[in-house]
Amino acid sequence: KSSGTGMIALEARVLDDDLVLSVSNPGKLSTPFSPGVGTKDAKQRLELIFGALGRFRLLQSSESTVLAEVVIPFRDYESAHC
């Protein structure tokens, strides 16, 4: 956890056939990192909806920045899974 001010960056982009949603903010993950209930629930929900095509990751992207990223199918998901 960090105190003070910081900037939160939100990004949405299409990469190949996926929609990639990213949120980065100032902070540090605990060491060793152990995912909490929210992280586990997010991964499980994505897997239930999208199977192996949905992904979630939480990582320390720099010394002082944490990145959360969700990847979901963007193109042809419905036609491939109906």
Side-chain angles (χ1 to χ4, degrees):
K1 295 185 178 184
S2 66
S3 61
T5 60
M7 182 180 292
I8 295 174
L10 305 171
E11 180 182 22
R13 66 188 188 282
V14 175
L15 181 62
D16 298 321
D17 291 336
D18 295 325
L19 175 61
V20 181
L21 306 169
S22 303
V23 178
S24 62
N25 62 287
K28 290 190 177 193
L29 295 174
S30 59
T31 305
F33 175 67
S34 177
V37 173
T39 301
K40 291 175 186 176
D41 285 350
K43 286 181 175 185
Q44 190 173 48
R45 183 71 53 118
L46 285 168
E47 184 178 325
L48 286 171
I49 297 169
F50 300 107
L53 298 176
R55 299 180 303 278
F56 174 85
R57 66 183 186 148
L58 185 62
L59 58 102
Q60 192 74 49
S61 62
S62 74
E63 185 177 317
S64 60
T65 305
V66 174
L67 172 72
E69 187 174 79
V70 173
V71 179
I72 58 175
F74 184 69
R75 300 190 180 147
D76 299 325
Y77 176 75
E78 286 195 25
S79 63
H81 294 88
C82 291

